[in-house]
Amino acid sequence: MSAAPAHTRRLPLVVRNPSFGRVWGGQLLTQAASRMFQVGAVWWLVGSAGGDHRGLDSGLFLMVSTVPAVALAPVVARIVARHAHRTVLASAAAVAGTVAVTAGVLACTGALPIAAAYAVGLVLAACQAVFDPCLTTSVPELVEDTDIESATGFELSTQSVAGLCGGLLGPLVVDAGALSGVTAACGAAYLLAALLIGSTRFGHRGAGNGPAPEPRTLRRVLTGLPFIRRVLICFAAANVFTTAVYVVMPLYTQEVLHATGSTVASLETALGAGTLLGSFTGGRLPGRPVTVGSLCLTLMAAALALPGLLAGHAAALASMAVAGWCVGVIGVRFVALFQRLVPADDKPAFFAVMQAVLGATFPVSSLVFGALGDHLTAGTLCLAQGAGLVPVALALWWLGSRADPAGPHRPDTAAPVPVGEAS
C-alpha cells in the first residue's frame, strides 16, 4: 500500500497533476508560437522584406512586440486580480489564435504588408502580456504548496523549450513558405492552447476564482518591496544589452556569417538549449541568488562579446549557449525567490509589474541596436552588448553585499527543486 503512493510522488509534476499538465501544455504552445512569430518575422525583415534599413525595420518590429507588456501592466494587473484565471488564459490564447489564423489566410492570398506584420505582432504581444503574468499568478491554484518550486522549474524550463522550438522553426518556416506559414502555424498553436486551458479545472485557493479584495496599486506594491525593486531595476538595465541579441543575431548571420535562416535557427536553438539547461541546473548552484546572478551576468558579458572578438559560426554558437545557460539560472533562482517573498495578495500586481519593468527596456534596446545595426558592424554590436553588462553585474553584486532580503531564515538560499525530482 505504501509503495504506490511513493511511486506516484516520484512521477513528474505534469503527469501526477493533470490540471497543471494541461496548463503546462498550453504555456508551451503559446510561448512557442509567440517566439516563432517574432524570430520568423525578424528573419523575414532582415532576409527578404527589408530594404536598406533592415536593422531599423527589425528593431522597430521587436519594439512593437514588447510595448504591450509595459503599456498594459496596470490593466493586466486588474484583469488577473479580478477575473477567473482559467478564463483569462483561455481568452488570451483564443484571441491570439484567431488573429494569427486570419493573418495567415490573408497572407495566402497575397504578400502580407510589413504594416500588417507589425499589427499582428502587436496583438500577439498584447495577448502574451496578459497570459504570462496570469500563468505565474495561477500556479498556487494548480499545485500544492510543496510543489511550488517544481512548478516554477517547469514554468521557466517551458519558456526555454518554447523559445528553442519557436526559434528553430521560425526562420526555417519563413525560408520554406514565407510569413504566411508562420502565422498559420502560430494560430493553430494558440487555438489548441485555448482548448487545453479551457478544459482545465482550477482550484479555489488563489485569487481570480471569485470576489477578490481590491488590489494595491503597482506603485505601492513595489514601494513595500525595496530589495526586490532594486533587483528588478538591475535586471531591467541588463535587458538593454541581453535582449539586443534578437536584433544582433540575424544581422550577424547576414553580415558576418553570410548564411541562411537555418543558421539563425541553429543560434536560436543554442540559446534555447542553454536556457533549458540553466533552468534544470540553476537550483543546484551554491550561494544566494544575488551572488549567483551577478556571476552569471559577468559570464554572460564575456559570452556575448565573444563573436565580436572571434568571428565564426562556432564562436556564435558557444556564445548563445553560454548566454542562455546564464539566463536560465537567473530565472529559476529569482522567480522562486519572488514567489516566497511577495505576499499572496500582491502577486497579481507584482508579476504584471515585473513583466513591465523587465520589458520596459526591450523596446529601447530593439530600436537603438536596430538603428545602430545600419551604421555599425554586427561584431561591434556584440562587443557593445558585453561591455554594457559589466557595470550591471557590479551593481547587482554591490546590492547583494548590502542587503539580506529574507532576514535570519534566509529562504532566498533555498534552491528550486529540479524538474521531475520533486517529491
Side-chain angles (χ1 to χ4, degrees):
M1 295 293 292
S2 60
H7 174 71
T8 301
R9 286 196 297 269
R10 287 194 296 269
L11 291 174
L13 180 61
V14 293
V15 176
R16 56 188 166 84
N17 186 330
S19 294
F20 181 79
R22 283 192 289 271
V23 173
W24 173 77
Q27 178 197 10
L28 179 62
L29 288 167
T30 59
Q31 292 180 344
S34 175
R35 188 81 189 108
M36 181 179 178
F37 184 80
Q38 282 190 359
V39 177
V42 168
W43 179 242
W44 176 68
L45 290 168
V46 171
S48 59
D52 296 332
H53 303 286
R54 295 190 300 268
L56 181 59
D57 288 342
S58 58
L60 280 172
F61 173 80
L62 288 174
M63 183 190 73
V64 167
S65 298
T66 52
V67 164
V70 180
L72 298 179
V75 177
V76 171
R78 288 194 293 269
I79 291 174
V80 174
R82 296 176 180 176
H83 298 280
H85 293 161
R86 180 177 63 180
T87 301
V88 173
L89 292 170
S91 299
V95 171
T98 302
V99 170
V101 167
T102 302
V105 171
L106 293 176
C108 290
T109 63
L112 193 69
I114 290 180
Y118 279 36
V120 174
L122 181 65
V123 174
L124 297 188
C127 293
Q128 207 68 41
V130 176
F131 188 96
D132 289 340
C134 184
L135 176 70
T136 305
T137 304
S138 65
V139 165
E141 303 170 43
L142 296 166
V143 303
E144 299 296 331
D145 291 341
T146 54
D147 286 330
I148 287 291
E149 290 86 4
S150 183
T152 300
F154 264 109
E155 182 189 351
L156 295 180
S157 64
T158 300
Q159 294 177 15
S160 307
V161 173
L164 191 156
C165 296
L168 173 64
L169 292 175
L172 296 179
V173 174
V174 166
D175 281 352
L179 200 61
S180 59
V182 172
T183 52
C186 291
Y190 273 117
L191 292 177
L192 179 56
L195 290 175
L196 280 175
I197 295 171
S199 65
T200 301
R201 180 183 180 276
F202 280 50
H204 298 276
R205 294 181 291 122
N209 290 288
E214 186 68 21
R216 296 198 297 167
T217 64
L218 301 181
R219 181 177 180 181
R220 291 188 63 185
V221 168
L222 284 185
T223 300
L225 302 168
F227 173 79
I228 292 179
R229 183 177 69 246
R230 297 185 187 104
V231 169
L232 290 180
I233 291 173
C234 284
F235 285 128
N239 276 3
V240 173
F241 304 98
T242 58
T243 55
V245 72
Y246 300 120
V247 176
V248 176
M249 271 197 301
L251 293 175
Y252 191 87
T253 300
Q254 183 83 0
E255 297 175 7
V256 179
L257 302 180
H258 306 292
T260 63
S262 61
T263 299
V264 178
S266 69
L267 296 178
E268 286 281 346
T269 300
L271 181 66
T275 307
L276 181 61
L277 181 61
S279 298
F280 277 96
T281 61
R284 301 179 184 274
L285 297 179
R288 301 172 62 222
V290 172
T291 303
V292 173
S294 59
L295 292 175
C296 283
L297 286 178
T298 303
L299 179 59
M300 197 187 308
L304 292 178
L306 178 63
L309 298 173
L310 184 62
H313 195 179
L317 284 173
S319 169
M320 292 299 97
V322 174
W325 181 82
C326 294
V327 169
V329 171
I330 291 171
V332 166
R333 297 300 294 267
F334 280 89
V335 171
L337 171 64
F338 297 158
Q339 288 279 18
R340 284 188 167 90
L341 297 185
V342 177
D345 290 342
D346 289 337
K347 284 183 180 179
F350 172 77
F351 285 115
V353 78
M354 181 184 77
Q355 179 170 308
V357 170
L358 296 181
T361 52
F362 198 174
V364 177
S365 172
S366 301
L367 183 60
V368 170
F369 275 85
L372 290 176
D374 290 331
H375 303 283
L376 302 176
T377 66
T380 302
L381 296 181
C382 293
L383 295 175
Q385 285 182 272
L389 280 179
V390 173
V392 181
L394 293 174
L396 188 61
W397 184 283
W398 176 83
L399 175 62
S401 68
R402 289 176 54 88
D404 183 357
H409 299 292
R410 295 179 64 189
D412 58 319
T413 60
V417 179
V419 176
E421 294 188 10
S423 60

